[in-house]
């Protein structure tokens, strides 16, 4: 992988103008720990620096795109013995990482394409909503933002992306009650095309093949310019939301509220309502 932060759970390859990042831990439903999220951001930066790349494509494996933050890593962080106050610990573990990964997605200049092979939860779902184009493998995909259930507030700039893409009423309904946003609401709002497939590898390959055909007649240097123009009206809003969201959430981390929820989820004492 060529990086100090490399992760067994995330692989990448470059195919012409496509920088493809693949989540490869189907056993945990592609849960991502703090370092995985950092590595994902690092890969976006790598794609950003490559002058021959015009698209950053996110793909996954197994039955979920990603089940969000890895609850085991949160328990480990909580149990870590340190002389520092709780505030310092969660500023480092939560605030700085969340701000960094969200900002890296929000300011990415290459076209961000998300291939949703299955549902996405939490911060990972927020990253899907930050992508420019989302394709779904079938109508079983959903986005779940269980922030109110876990004891958190909106994150990953969802306080901006969701009202903008889904509309205000649906955003309130799904965020306040931690209810999944099913395919019928995603179709045509967040999801641009449903491939109606059942095999992840075939889905991932087909999307790439189709993209290669679609760009054949294009003058690629115009794409980041068009993206910049399309996002200009709300780019500042994403940055503002990113910092306000994490600063509003930190008090809950200091009190240990989300940590308790994550522990219960990992011990299968609680389940999200789907
Ligand atoms: N972390 C670690 N392991 C997970 C996670 C996870 N988030 N989700 C699922 N797994 C594991 C399960 O433990 C299980 O492992 P095993 O087979 O060894 O028991 C395996 O994946 C399959 O999971 P389930 O049996 O639970 O599968 P179901 O289909 O019944 O349920 C769900 C799927 C609904 C996704 C369920 O697994 C679930 O609710 N998972 C938790 C989802 C969640 O709450 N994620 C966190 C969201 S909040 C967020 O992302 C913001 C956090 C901010 C901190 C960021 C720090 C950088």
């Amino acid at each position: 992988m060529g990086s100090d932060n490399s992760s067994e759970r995330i692989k990448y390859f470059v195919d012409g103008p496509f920088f493809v990042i693949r989540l490869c831990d189907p056993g945990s439903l592609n849960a991502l720990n703090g370092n995985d999220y950092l590595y994902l951001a690092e890969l976006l930066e790598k794609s950003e620096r490559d002058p021959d790349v015009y698209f950053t494509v996110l793909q996954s494996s197994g039955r979920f795109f990603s089940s969000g933050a890895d609850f085991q890593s949160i328990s480990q962080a909580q149990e870590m013995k340190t002389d520092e106050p709780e505030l310092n610990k969660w500023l480092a573990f939560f605030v700085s990482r969340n701000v960094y990964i969200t900002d890296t997605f929000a300011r990415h200049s290459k076209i961000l394409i998300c291939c949703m092979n299955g549902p996405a939860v939490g911060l990972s779902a927020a990253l899907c909503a930050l992508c420019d184009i989302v394709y779904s493998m079938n109508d079983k995909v959903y986005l779940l933002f269980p922030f109110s259930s876990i004891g958190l507030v909106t994150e990953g700039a969802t306080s901006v992306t969701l009202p903008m893409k889904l509309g205000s009423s649906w955003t309130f309904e799904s965020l306040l009650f931690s209810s999944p946003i099913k395919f019928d609401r995603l179709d045509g709002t967040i999801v641009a095309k449903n491939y109606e497939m059942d095999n992840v590898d075939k889905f991932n390959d087909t999307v790439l093949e189709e993209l290669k055909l679609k760009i054949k007649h294009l003058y690629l240097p115009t794409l980041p310019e068009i993206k910049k123009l399309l996002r200009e009206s709300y780019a500042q809003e994403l940055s503002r939301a990113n910092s306000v969201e994490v600063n509003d959430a930190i008090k809950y981390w200091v009190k240990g509220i989300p940590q308790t929820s994550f522990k219960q989820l990992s011990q299968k004492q609680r389940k999200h309502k789907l």
Side-chain angles (χ1 to χ4, degrees):
M1 295 251 185
S3 164
D4 291 334
N5 248 347
S6 73
S7 159
E8 278 307 306
R9 294 161 139 190
I10 306 172
K11 313 259 187 239
Y12 76 90
F13 60 92
V14 181
D15 182 356
F18 302 101
F19 190 103
V20 183
I21 301 171
R22 193 171 285 169
L23 310 183
C24 310
D25 188 19
S28 73
L29 309 182
N30 296 296
L32 299 173
N33 64 37
N35 286 339
D36 293 327
Y37 280 119
L38 285 186
Y39 184 55
L40 197 52
E42 216 178 286
L43 290 181
L44 255 70
E45 299 286 7
K46 203 174 173 68
S47 166
E48 189 71 59
R49 287 191 299 270
D50 188 332
D52 298 323
V53 161
Y54 288 90
F55 298 86
T56 304
V57 182
L58 300 178
Q59 299 184 339
S60 190
S61 56
R63 64 189 175 92
F64 265 64
F65 178 78
S66 170
S67 58
D70 183 332
F71 35 59
Q72 271 148 17
S73 72
I74 290 166
S75 298
Q76 281 161 11
Q78 193 182 17
E79 282 153 21
M80 217 162 58
K81 294 271 170 284
T82 159
D83 294 334
E84 297 206 345
E86 282 296 289
L87 177 66
N88 299 25
K89 185 199 272 189
W90 299 107
L91 281 172
F93 184 84
F94 167 71
V95 171
S96 63
R97 283 176 164 142
N98 254 34
V99 165
Y100 180 60
I101 176 101
T102 302
D103 192 60
T104 307
F105 268 72
R107 294 200 298 153
H108 195 56
S109 75
K110 311 292 167 94
I111 312 303
L112 263 169
I113 296 188
C114 178
C115 304
M116 276 187 78
N117 56 305
V121 187
L123 182 55
S124 300
L127 300 181
C128 295
L130 276 168
C131 287
D132 304 313
I133 303 174
V134 178
Y135 296 125
S136 76
M137 186 166 91
N138 53 42
D139 61 7
K140 293 180 197 130
V141 306
Y142 61 80
L143 295 177
L144 174 66
F145 301 96
F147 305 132
S148 63
S149 159
I150 289 171
L152 285 170
V153 298
T154 55
E155 55 184 68
T158 44
S159 56
V160 171
T161 54
L162 297 185
M164 185 177 68
K165 294 187 176 187
L166 291 172
S168 169
S169 183
W170 264 97
T171 302
F172 270 90
E173 166 76 15
S174 53
L175 286 179
L176 295 181
F177 304 124
S178 284
S179 45
I181 305 166
K182 301 257 173 85
F183 177 75
D184 58 343
R185 290 288 152 191
L186 299 175
D187 190 18
T189 52
I190 287 181
V191 170
K193 178 176 174 181
N194 175 13
Y195 277 75
E196 298 183 44
M197 297 177 115
D198 285 319
N199 182 295
V200 190
D201 295 333
K202 197 156 177 244
F203 167 61
N204 288 337
D205 290 348
T206 306
V207 173
L208 263 190
E209 288 313 313
E210 275 196 12
L211 285 170
K212 283 176 192 168
L213 288 176
K214 277 184 186 164
I215 64 164
K216 263 194 170 160
H217 63 289
L218 304 181
Y219 180 64
L220 294 179
T222 61
L223 301 189
E225 297 292 332
I226 293 172
K227 170 169 175 166
K228 191 167 164 233
L229 290 164
L230 285 171
R231 291 172 73 89
E232 214 154 49
S233 61
Y234 60 92
Q236 291 302 320
E237 275 301 286
L238 295 176
S239 299
R240 181 201 54 78
N242 189 17
S243 86
V244 176
E245 286 175 341
V246 289
N247 281 340
D248 276 0
I250 187 69
K251 56 183 173 291
Y252 300 116
W253 288 97
V254 171
K255 281 188 195 158
I257 292 167
Q259 294 91 320
T260 304
S261 309
F262 283 118
K263 195 167 183 182
Q264 291 165 341
L265 282 164
S266 76
Q267 293 174 345
K268 303 197 192 285
Q269 288 165 358
R270 71 188 281 170
K271 270 251 172 218
H272 292 308
K273 284 204 171 61
L274 298 177

